[in-house]
Amino acid sequence: MAITGSGSLAISFFVFVISAAFLPKGAAETLTVEGQNLATDNVTVIEGEMATISCRVRNNDDSVIQLLNPNRQTIYFKDVRPLKDSRFQLVNFSDNELRVSLSNVSLSDEGRYVCQLYTDPPQEAYADITVLVPPGSPIIESREDVVSEGNETELTCTAIGGKPAAYIRWMKGEEELTGEATVEETYDRMFTVTSRVRFSVTKEDDGMPVDCIIDHPAVKDLLAQRHLEVLYKPEVKIVVTYPEGLTREGDNLDLTCIAEGKPRPHQINWLRVDEDVPPHAVVTGSDLYIENLNKSYNGTYRCVASNAVGEAYVDYILYVHDAPTTIPTPTTNPVNTQDSRAGEGAPQKIDHAVIGGVVAVVMFAILCALIVLGRYFARHKGTYFTHEAKGADDAADADTAIINAEGGHNNTDEKKEYYI
């Protein structure tokens, strides 16, 4: 009986399938060692996307290549697709490669695919397809919607239906938190992960974002966020509205109490520690006003603010100084008082310098005069003339000198002497 070409191909395919079915499993695995001619690669694909399986032959001697699914059903025999699943499409067929694509991959497609080379004995290589399933959007929940400062809060984040199991991280602002995770595997080989985190809150945490971040190979940038709402007692401060400088007797004092909290402070009170507030002090809301201060008002004044969380206070210590005793100098031009004072200060410095210079010059002149007089007296020591001696130098003798004296008189009562 004659056998046509197509009949011969069918018989060869039948014989090959039968021989592969009865091939011991251990023997098939031993054919995947290094050095054999058939090779393939494992494939990881996200659910719904496309996977490509490549069966490659090195130094092929025209042997038949075929691809089997995890149930060992033939997907492609050479370039023929016996399996009626249109998601499998031939990408390339040659003597050295059989490449097949699988579109719209589902979790049921996961498993070990077999590349077979029809030789004697047959060779096999295995391509494991791993299907990744991204989890659903995370759900973040809080044990309480509002928490008071100093108390502990608990947040829970759940990632449902992922494969493999997701890893959950927590971030509070820029701070990473450590959570406790539990993993539950469902009947369809999926995983649900729940993570809980506990921490104490402060008033600085009010409005702070807390992120539940999902780390999974099938998805990126998957997170859920919740903002903390923290109640805290008031923060109080006192602002001195008047005076700007020291408080002195006779001055007025105006203080303003500023309080902020959550919820908003519902009550603000002024009191004087250990004493009564001065009788004429005026309290208007958050303001305290005292006029005509004196030293009896010295003490500690306290502003107390309260809300549903608690109360807080801040103190202001009042010390009244003496009234100023300096009386300002009258001036005819009040507008230019500052300029006049500035003008008076500069000449005073110049007068001191001038006086010092004059004194120095006078002292130097006196010193010079004394030196000159000293030298003069030293040179003319013991030499002087009287009126009697006038003309003595021109007389021939003593008698003549006396006769030639001025006026020609020798009356001693009219004698005068001049000294230098």
Side-chain angles (χ1 to χ4, degrees):
M1 178 178 64
I3 301 176
T4 63
S6 59
S8 175
L9 178 60
I11 293 174
S12 298
F13 171 71
F14 177 77
V15 172
F16 177 78
V17 171
I18 294 298
S19 62
F22 287 96
L23 186 66
K25 183 177 180 181
E29 291 177 351
T30 61
L31 297 177
T32 63
V33 298
E34 184 179 359
Q36 61 187 15
N37 294 330
L38 190 60
T40 188
D41 300 307
N42 293 330
V43 179
T44 299
V45 61
I46 298 175
E47 185 181 36
E49 296 185 359
M50 177 180 292
T52 301
I53 304 173
S54 175
C55 301
R56 300 180 300 276
V57 180
R58 183 176 57 189
N59 302 323
N60 190 9
D61 56 356
D62 294 332
S63 298
V64 176
I65 307 173
Q66 72 168 351
L67 176 64
L68 308 178
N69 66 12
N71 296 323
R72 300 193 73 87
Q73 297 172 326
T74 301
I75 301 172
Y76 268 91
F77 182 81
K78 300 179 67 174
D79 58 348
V80 178
R81 188 188 67 196
L83 189 65
K84 295 182 179 180
D85 189 341
S86 59
R87 295 182 304 145
F88 290 98
Q89 294 294 323
L90 183 65
V91 178
N92 181 51
F93 174 73
S94 65
D95 292 338
N96 298 319
E97 182 185 34
L98 172 61
R99 190 188 311 169
V100 177
S101 66
L102 172 61
S103 60
N104 194 22
V105 176
S106 65
L107 190 60
S108 61
D109 295 320
E110 189 175 65
R112 172 167 289 187
Y113 289 74
V114 183
C115 293
Q116 286 186 341
L117 183 64
Y118 188 48
T119 58
D120 188 17
Q123 299 183 31
E124 290 188 355
Y126 305 103
D128 291 327
I129 290 185
T130 302
V131 179
L132 306 179
V133 180
S137 297
I139 302 171
I140 187 170
E141 297 175 331
S142 177
R143 185 175 58 191
E144 58 275 309
D145 295 332
V146 179
V147 59
S148 298
E149 64 172 335
N151 293 340
E152 186 180 76
T153 187
E154 178 179 292
L155 299 178
T156 302
C157 184
T158 304
I160 301 176
K163 179 182 176 300
Y167 177 75
I168 297 178
R169 294 185 294 117
W170 291 94
M171 294 292 295
K172 185 183 75 170
E174 300 296 328
E175 177 187 1
E176 185 167 2
L177 304 176
T178 301
E180 299 177 357
T182 57
V183 180
E184 178 184 358
E185 184 175 2
T186 60
Y187 67 94
D188 53 354
R189 295 181 294 167
M190 306 285 275
F191 298 90
T192 296
V193 182
T194 302
S195 178
R196 291 179 175 85
V197 64
R198 300 179 183 89
F199 56 91
S200 298
V201 299
T202 64
K203 63 177 179 294
E204 288 77 14
D205 292 327
D206 184 45
M208 182 74 69
V210 178
D211 297 332
C212 166
I213 304 172
I214 305 300
D215 290 337
H216 194 275
V219 66
K220 294 181 179 180
D221 302 325
L222 189 61
L223 62 85
Q225 186 177 84
R226 187 181 184 91
H227 288 81
L228 298 175
E229 186 172 356
V230 180
L231 304 180
Y232 54 91
K233 62 184 181 181
E235 293 179 319
V236 188
K237 66 178 181 178
I238 294 176
V239 177
V240 181
T241 306
Y242 185 85
E244 295 183 355
L246 296 176
T247 52
R248 298 186 181 274
E249 287 185 311
D251 287 346
N252 299 330
L253 177 65
D254 193 356
L255 302 178
T256 299
C257 182
I258 299 176
E260 296 180 355
K262 189 173 183 179
R264 187 179 181 87
H266 60 268
Q267 188 173 8
I268 296 178
N269 295 323
W270 281 97
L271 58 90
R272 187 179 181 187
V273 178
D274 299 330
E275 295 182 71
D276 294 332
V277 176
H280 64 280
V282 178
V283 177
T284 306
S286 60
D287 294 338
L288 172 65
Y289 179 76
I290 306 175
E291 64 179 5
N292 195 19
L293 294 174
N294 60 61
K295 292 184 179 293
S296 66
Y297 297 160
N298 288 346
T300 302
Y301 293 79
R302 177 173 295 173
C303 174
V304 183
S306 58
N307 62 8
V309 180
E311 71 174 26
Y313 66 86
V314 65
D315 292 336
Y316 172 80
I317 299 176
L318 173 63
Y319 181 80
V320 180
H321 296 263
D322 294 331
T325 57
T326 303
I327 301 176
T329 303
T331 177
T332 58
N333 187 5
V335 177
N336 297 324
T337 300
Q338 184 174 359
D339 296 339
S340 300
R341 290 179 180 176
E344 292 172 0
Q348 290 179 356
K349 296 183 179 179
I350 297 175
D351 290 345
H352 288 302
V354 172
I355 292 172
V358 171
V359 171
V361 171
V362 172
M363 294 299 295
F364 179 75
I366 293 173
L367 180 62
C368 291
L370 291 175
I371 293 173
V372 170
L373 289 176
R375 291 177 60 86
Y376 178 81
F377 284 122
R379 183 177 300 176
H380 298 84
K381 184 178 182 181
T383 303
Y384 65 93
F385 296 94
T386 63
H387 287 285
E388 296 93 338
K390 268 190 176 182
D393 290 340
D394 299 330
D397 51 31
D399 294 334
T400 306
I402 294 173
I403 295 171
N404 293 336
E406 185 178 348
H409 301 284
N410 57 356
N411 191 357
T412 59
D413 293 335
E414 297 179 359
K415 186 185 299 182
K416 296 182 180 180
E417 295 180 353
Y418 295 90
Y419 295 91
I420 297 178

